[in-house]
Amino acid sequence: MQTLIIEGGHKLKGTVKISGAKNAALPLMCACLLTAEPLVLENVPELTDMQTLCDVLGSLGVVSDLSGTTLRLQAQTIHNTRASYELVSKMRASVLVLGPLLARFGHAEVSLPGGCAIGARPIDVLLDGLRALGATIELENGYVHARVNGRLKGAELYLPKPAVTGTENLMMAATLAEGTTTISNAAREPEVVDLANCLNKMGAKITGAGTSVITIEGVDALNGTTHTVMNDRIEAGTYLLMAAMAGDGIMVEGAVSGDNQALLTLMKQAGVRMDKTEKGIFVHGGNGYTAVDVTTNPYPGFATDLQAQMMAFLTQANGTSIVKETVYENRFMHVPELNRMGARLTDEGHCVRVAGNARLIGADVMATDLRASASLVMAGLIAKGTTTVHRVYHLHRGYERLTEKLTGLGARISAGNE
Ligand code: EPU
């Protein structure tokens, strides 16, 4: 199994370029199931999650062709509407095929994704929404069996939680429904907007994406299109925090400030100096930052996907910060690992007390999920001595060419084996 070996204490400098967004590319790829015509996606990141989803789509009959960062997908002949446990269990976002398959073919069977390291992550919001659109849903042998006689029917949906992939799945399903669907308390994440923009180019009639009420007027059929995937705001946020913590002047090229307002506001409060330019966001290096309290929330709140990285940054601030997680019940697995490196974090259930000015020392640490892994890399960059991050495959799911990008900034980082 691969590890990542980091020699800490080298200041980072230069430019890092942000890749296409994993969490935008995944639903966009599934949108190909809504039409027999080709869907061409540009700015697709090279990540294991993309490959996993290509395998899922391929098992259904989708033909895919990746050339650089351009991915061409065509769901002309779908010979199978069952997404198997073997594939779905590798990545829960595979459940995004359910809405499109059901809408276009009238039936789909998708393995229930099950729990994951960061929490239970049920899909009841999606299943209740599909039922309201007229589908019959049965759970049998760990699979969701979804069926509809004729077309789905537009309906007024209220989501008890603004689930992101839940909103995306229902929005895709509703594009081919008969009549109008409204989704209230919809997720407002920029990835939902990116998907709506692409679907509209495919001939869908969606308004309100990015607000909590999305309206979808169903159409008879969709066409193919070409769409550029938005830049990854979580990758950008990770590098912004890394630049503040371990940098000496870094341009985060392609970072879109509008997508990261909650983070940028807190970073400014902490005393990080940043310049917004046409190219991206330049972060002046520094130290002597001030502790700030953080609470994760659905967009436009502070992203749970940046909580671990923010915590790593706050270990270096002056004073005590409180980091509260409200989206997931179990997303503090990085806490004991960071403490092994000398951080002074106290897990108090739904929040963590971060005592600042910690002197971090290199250690062997275990990556437990994608974002937790990023926080360990950040800590390793400033720690005294060598840090070895184990189970680094988590990082390859969401950070394109991380080692290469960090080496480009002057980090001493290399891949190892165990
Ligand atoms: N929830 C429910 N019922 C549902 C759906 C969600 O109670 O039917 C709850 C979950 O239990 C959880 C919260 O809502 O507490 C988050 O929802 P979910 O697990 O459904 O998240 P998601 O939409 O599947 C996306 C991102 C995640 C990100 C979350 C929250 C994608 C592919 N994934 O997941 O990204 O954390 O939204 O912002 O878009 C990551 O990239 O590291 C990652 C985990």
Side-chain angles (χ1 to χ4, degrees):
M1 214 180 272
Q2 267 205 344
T3 61
L4 211 52
I5 303 161
I6 307 160
E7 190 187 295
H10 300 280
K11 280 279 181 198
L12 310 185
K13 209 177 169 67
T15 297
V16 61
K17 198 169 179 298
I18 297 309
S19 304
K22 165 181 87 80
N23 289 349
L26 292 169
L28 284 165
M29 286 166 69
C30 294
C32 81
L33 292 167
L34 291 163
T35 173
E37 292 180 17
L39 174 64
V40 179
L41 298 174
E42 286 166 351
N43 197 32
V44 175
E46 194 188 326
L47 299 167
T48 44
D49 271 14
M50 306 295 107
Q51 189 50 56
T52 305
L53 189 55
C54 271
D55 293 345
V56 174
L57 294 171
S59 76
L60 307 173
V62 173
V63 177
S64 61
D65 177 48
L66 179 67
S67 162
T69 57
T70 302
L71 177 63
R72 185 184 191 275
L73 298 160
Q74 189 162 13
Q76 191 170 28
T77 321
I78 293 299
H79 52 69
N80 173 30
T81 55
R82 179 182 167 96
S84 72
Y85 173 76
E86 289 69 35
L87 291 168
V88 177
S89 60
K90 284 190 188 167
M91 185 185 65
R92 67 187 308 288
S94 314
V95 78
L96 280 161
V97 301
L98 181 56
L101 281 177
L102 179 65
R104 182 159 155 224
F105 302 100
H107 52 89
E109 283 171 42
V110 176
S111 170
L112 276 166
C116 93
I118 54 179
R121 306 185 74 181
I123 57 164
D124 50 304
V125 167
L126 167 65
L127 300 184
D128 289 346
L130 292 176
R131 282 191 188 100
L133 293 175
T136 309
I137 306 279
E138 278 162 22
L139 304 180
E140 216 173 274
N141 306 117
Y143 278 77
V144 178
H145 296 255
R147 189 162 281 282
V148 63
N149 281 331
R151 284 169 71 182
L152 291 168
K153 302 260 178 318
E156 287 184 12
L157 310 180
Y158 171 80
L159 310 189
K161 279 195 176 177
V164 182
T165 54
T167 300
E168 293 163 344
N169 227 330
L170 291 169
M171 191 166 76
M172 287 193 277
T175 57
L176 291 180
E178 214 179 311
T180 302
T181 299
T182 53
I183 308 179
S184 298
N185 199 28
R188 291 179 280 169
E189 269 70 359
E191 292 78 9
V192 174
V193 180
D194 204 24
L195 176 64
N197 289 343
C198 176
L199 291 169
N200 282 341
K201 283 196 249 170
M202 293 168 72
K205 293 187 175 162
I206 303 172
T207 53
T211 75
S212 27
V213 182
I214 302 177
T215 304
I216 306 121
E217 218 182 289
V219 295
D220 292 343
L222 293 178
N223 48 262
T225 194
T226 297
H227 182 79
T228 303
V229 179
M230 65 179 277
N231 278 357
D232 197 316
R233 67 192 167 99
I234 304 299
E235 188 198 20
T238 304
Y239 282 108
L240 289 169
L241 286 164
M242 224 179 243
M245 189 179 175
D248 187 19
I250 293 182
M251 168 56 80
V252 184
E253 189 181 324
V256 179
S257 53
D259 292 346
N260 261 323
Q261 280 306 337
L263 170 71
L264 294 175
T265 303
L266 284 181
M267 285 177 73
K268 269 187 225 150
Q269 269 176 33
V272 180
R273 284 196 304 128
M274 291 173 281
D275 300 326
K276 287 178 208 168
T277 73
E278 260 180 31
K279 234 173 132 188
I281 301 175
F282 182 81
V283 185
H284 298 263
N287 48 37
Y289 299 125
T290 311
V292 289
D293 293 342
V294 184
T295 302
T296 67
N297 266 309
Y299 192 85
F302 188 92
T304 172
D305 293 343
L306 285 171
Q307 178 255 108
Q309 302 91 311
M310 186 69 178
M311 198 181 290
F313 165 74
L314 290 173
T315 63
Q316 301 309 300
N318 288 320
T320 300
S321 310
I322 304 290
V323 177
K324 193 170 174 201
E325 174 62 55
T326 71
V327 179
Y328 292 111
E329 70 269 26
N330 183 26
R331 209 177 198 185
F332 288 140
M333 285 91 63
H334 43 285
V335 167
E337 298 303 304
L338 288 170
N339 280 345
R340 299 187 70 249
M341 298 178 70
R344 291 174 298 150
L345 311 174
T346 315
D347 189 343
E348 297 179 348
H350 282 297
C351 70
V352 169
R353 185 174 293 273
V354 184
N357 284 325
R359 286 193 58 227
L360 302 184
I361 298 173
D364 281 84
V365 285
M366 188 76 79
T368 47
D369 81 272
L370 171 56
R371 311 303 173 186
S373 320
S375 75
L376 300 178
V377 171
M378 287 173 66
L381 289 171
I382 59 152
K384 188 164 182 276
T386 303
T387 297
T388 304
V389 184
H390 297 260
R391 298 206 184 157
V392 77
Y393 59 85
H394 289 292
L395 275 168
H396 303 316
R397 293 189 55 181
Y399 289 94
E400 191 184 38
R401 293 196 291 277
L402 178 86
T403 313
E404 210 177 288
K405 288 187 184 186
L406 285 176
T407 305
L409 292 172
R412 305 280 168 87
I413 182 166
S414 57
N417 271 307
E418 58 187 351

